[in-house]
Amino acid sequence: MYRPRLLIDGDTLRLEEILQVAHNEVIVELSPEAQACVRASRELVDRVAAGDTPSYGINTGFGTLAEVRIDKKDLRELQRNLILSHAAGVGAPMPIPEARALLLLRCNVLAKGFSGIRLETLQLALDMLNKDVVPVVPERGSVGASGDLAPLAHLALVFIGEGEAFYQGHRMPARQALERAGLTPVVLEAKEGLALVNGTQAMCAVGSLLQLRAEMLSLVADIAGSMTLEGLLGSHKPFIPEIQDVRPHEGQKACAAHLRRLLAGSDLVETHINCSKVQDPYSLRCMPQVHGAAREGLAFARRILEVEVNSATDNPLVFVDSGRIVSGGNFHGQPISLAMDVAAMALTQLSSISERRVEQLVNPTLSNLPPFLAKNSGLNSGFMIAQVTSAALVAESRVLCHPASVDSIPSSAGREDHVSMGMTAALKGRQVADFTRTCLAIEILVASQALDYRLPVKAGRGPRAAHELVRSRVPTMEKDRELHRDIEAVSQLIDSGELMRVVRAATA
């Protein structure tokens, strides 16, 4: 299968390109300019390693052991020991797309030319990506101090033929995976081990894929909300431009504009122009304000990630122009940790208001529809427990929104005395995204039943297209059945992107 090329240079990688690599859709290559930068950086490291002046990570120990001098004859063993000792991760392996993203992001940082890696070592990493050799990287074990030390050490194990890897999706010893791909492990030279394990790439890998998913879910939330609004015969007036213009938050304006596009062409809105209802509940009326605030939080997270994935996060950094190798703190994950906490909170806002809309749908005193939207209610319970499931997921999401970014447990004998917990924040955010997707699937499923009751009058173009797509996979509930299958079917429509494609086509 033909795959286009993606040139990386350490400066211009986009989040959408990370997703392409995560799904193995492109061939990754190093730009000529980046190759020159990597060579120049390595030449400086070689000169320092050949001398007697102490330089952290090149001829000294690490962390609290930075004052311990290492003999030149032991420099290779020093780098190998660093990888072996730091590979202390535990838990389930990162999913293959996230592990591929991790490998790409590490390559992109090395491509900047501030790490001192040899070009052949970086080329092995690129060959692994392109030949689908993906390191097995345990999810747990990073506090985001010198970056993601444990996850990156597990990544680096494969470079030296240790640890495990997935080859074309099959898990096996790393050396065997490399051999099957026609690749040879490297022997790490001075500073190369340190160049591979310092940085924020694990939290950024999880975070980048989470960010793109969260942005998609923010649009799905508008679709779900528009379906519920039409099913409940809600008003379109709260979304008019004039209301947004006098409180001009960009997220609020964008959400309201999206809702207007979704609801355009509605016949249902004409059926209740002269109804006695004065105002809708907040979960309907305030969608631009609540969904919009979530968009603003995600916009902040995107800005942080876009900077971080193209940043030098090593320590020490190799500055060729000045001839200096300098220790600093660019590996600290605090920016990403805070951004991922915000992303989790933004997503939980979307699931929380969605659950309230489901309550509006299933509660007959609020909807003027049959109890729990069941036909022959009493004999049938309808969507009673779908709302309960949504409530359970929202409750757990709220617990997961406890911020990791304000936590810190000192490590490395007090040298790393303030840490970011960035990987923790990213993993929590990923779980919240799963829950939010399911909450939105439940709302879409329940709203589809409400729209059934409104037929033959047609909803707006967006809700109508979503309703028809759902009904092509999930029939109207005539009597009780296993709801988990229906929830999963709608969840797959969201995850596959089919829901977004169909609705976009209908509202273009």
Side-chain angles (χ1 to χ4, degrees):
M1 182 181 70
Y2 169 76
R3 289 183 291 167
R5 291 193 313 159
L6 170 65
L7 281 180
I8 61 169
D9 55 16
D11 297 317
T12 58
L13 185 64
R14 297 184 299 111
L15 300 189
E16 289 75 13
E17 291 170 335
I18 297 172
L19 183 63
Q20 288 181 304
V21 175
H23 293 157
N24 201 14
E25 295 172 352
V26 295
I27 296 290
V28 185
E29 297 178 357
L30 196 61
S31 74
E33 296 79 8
Q35 292 181 38
C37 290
V38 171
R39 287 194 184 97
S41 175
R42 184 63 207 177
E43 288 171 3
L44 177 55
V45 170
D46 285 340
R47 289 199 299 272
V48 172
D52 296 320
T53 303
S55 184
Y56 175 70
I58 296 179
N59 52 19
T60 74
F62 308 104
T64 308
L65 303 175
E67 282 71 39
V68 178
R69 286 291 306 276
I70 307 298
D71 290 339
K72 292 179 183 177
K73 65 181 178 60
D74 294 325
L75 293 186
R76 283 183 172 179
E77 185 177 358
L78 173 70
Q79 300 302 313
R80 179 180 174 84
N81 286 347
L82 174 68
I83 302 303
L84 296 175
S85 65
H86 284 47
V90 296
M94 293 174 68
I96 288 176
E98 288 182 355
R100 287 186 58 85
L102 169 57
L103 184 54
L104 168 69
L105 290 173
R106 197 63 215 159
C107 290
N108 196 54
V109 168
L110 298 173
K112 293 183 73 68
F114 296 105
S115 303
I117 200 87
R118 289 179 301 156
L119 188 58
E120 52 263 47
T121 305
L122 176 52
Q123 187 57 54
L124 172 62
L126 293 169
D127 290 341
M128 286 165 55
L129 262 181
N130 294 330
K131 296 188 177 185
D132 205 20
V133 176
V134 184
V136 173
V137 179
E139 290 183 344
R140 309 287 174 179
S142 171
V143 297
S146 290
D148 296 309
L149 291 172
L152 285 168
H154 282 274
L155 187 85
L157 280 176
V158 180
F159 291 46
I160 62 175
E162 303 292 345
E164 291 184 291
F166 296 101
Y167 176 59
Q168 296 181 353
H170 300 285
R171 186 172 178 171
M172 62 189 70
R175 192 170 293 274
Q176 181 181 347
L178 292 171
E179 184 178 329
R180 289 192 181 184
L183 302 175
T184 304
V186 295
V187 176
L188 298 177
E189 299 290 349
K191 195 187 181 297
E192 287 199 294
L194 194 58
L196 291 172
V197 301
N198 260 221
T200 59
Q201 285 67 56
M203 64 183 84
C204 280
V206 177
S208 295
L209 300 189
L210 162 63
Q211 175 69 25
L212 294 169
R213 191 180 187 197
E215 290 172 354
M216 179 270 293
L217 290 173
S218 72
L219 299 175
V220 172
D222 294 347
I223 295 170
S226 72
M227 295 174 73
T228 298
L229 183 89
E230 292 283 75
L232 292 172
L233 304 181
S235 173
H236 297 192
K237 290 179 182 177
F239 316 135
I240 63 172
E242 293 90 332
I243 292 176
Q244 326 314 320
D245 290 342
V246 296
R247 195 196 193 194
H249 292 295
E250 290 302 318
Q252 177 176 330
K253 291 167 63 178
C255 175
H258 189 211
L259 288 167
R260 291 196 299 272
R261 287 196 303 275
L262 291 167
L263 295 166
S266 172
D267 293 333
L268 276 172
V269 73
E270 304 297 329
T271 67
H272 55 93
I273 290 176
N274 298 315
C275 71
S276 60
K277 191 191 302 183
V278 177
Q279 290 183 330
D280 289 323
Y282 288 1
S283 60
L284 299 180
R285 193 185 349 151
C286 298
M287 282 191 283
Q289 291 76 17
V290 178
H291 293 195
R295 287 182 183 229
E296 297 278 8
L298 294 175
F300 162 73
R302 172 177 273 268
R303 180 173 63 81
I304 296 297
L305 284 165
E306 287 176 335
V307 172
E308 189 74 4
V309 301
N310 290 299
S311 295
T313 56
D314 290 23
N315 186 56
L317 290 167
V318 180
F319 295 101
V320 174
D321 291 346
S322 64
R324 300 174 71 192
I325 299 178
V326 186
S327 290
N330 278 4
F331 47 63
H332 201 292
Q334 200 66 35
I336 305 305
S337 186
L338 179 59
M340 293 301 94
D341 278 343
V342 170
M345 288 186 279
L347 286 167
T348 300
Q349 286 183 185
L350 297 178
S351 63
S352 178
I353 195 171
S354 172
E355 183 276 328
R356 288 294 80 200
R357 290 193 296 261
V358 173
E359 168 67 12
Q360 293 286 329
L361 286 164
V362 300
N363 188 330
T365 63
L366 302 173
S367 68
N368 291 318
L369 290 166
F372 308 108
L373 303 182
K375 297 187 177 182
N376 195 8
S377 57
L379 175 63
N380 293 301
S381 295
F383 293 93
M384 179 190 296
I385 305 304
Q387 182 268 328
V388 173
T389 299
S390 184
L393 297 180
V394 170
E396 189 168 348
S397 293
R398 289 170 178 165
V399 172
L400 290 169
C401 280
H402 173 82
S405 57
V406 299
D407 201 357
S408 178
I409 298 178
S411 59
S412 193
R415 180 64 62 96
E416 298 168 1
D417 60 344
H418 183 278
V419 303
S420 72
M421 300 298 179
M423 188 62 165
T424 304
L427 292 172
K428 290 195 302 98
R430 183 224 280 163
Q431 183 65 74
V432 170
D434 285 342
F435 291 161
T436 301
R437 182 279 319 275
T438 304
C439 287
L440 295 174
I442 289 171
E443 182 182 1
I444 290 168
L445 181 65
V446 178
S448 294
Q449 187 83 355
L451 288 172
D452 288 339
Y453 283 108
R454 304 303 182 189
L455 293 173
V457 185
K458 293 181 178 180
R461 286 195 287 268
R464 189 190 319 161
H467 179 225
E468 291 172 354
L469 176 62
V470 170
R471 284 293 168 255
S472 72
R473 309 297 169 82
V474 180
T476 301
M477 183 185 283
E478 301 291 346
K479 60 180 182 179
D480 284 347
R481 60 176 182 248
E482 296 178 54
L483 275 178
H484 68 93
R485 301 183 192 278
D486 296 352
I487 295 170
E488 179 58 28
V490 179
S491 295
Q492 289 177 5
L493 292 176
I494 295 173
D495 286 341
S496 68
E498 187 172 0
L499 177 71
M500 284 302 309
R501 288 192 295 271
V502 166
V503 172
R504 277 177 173 155
T507 57

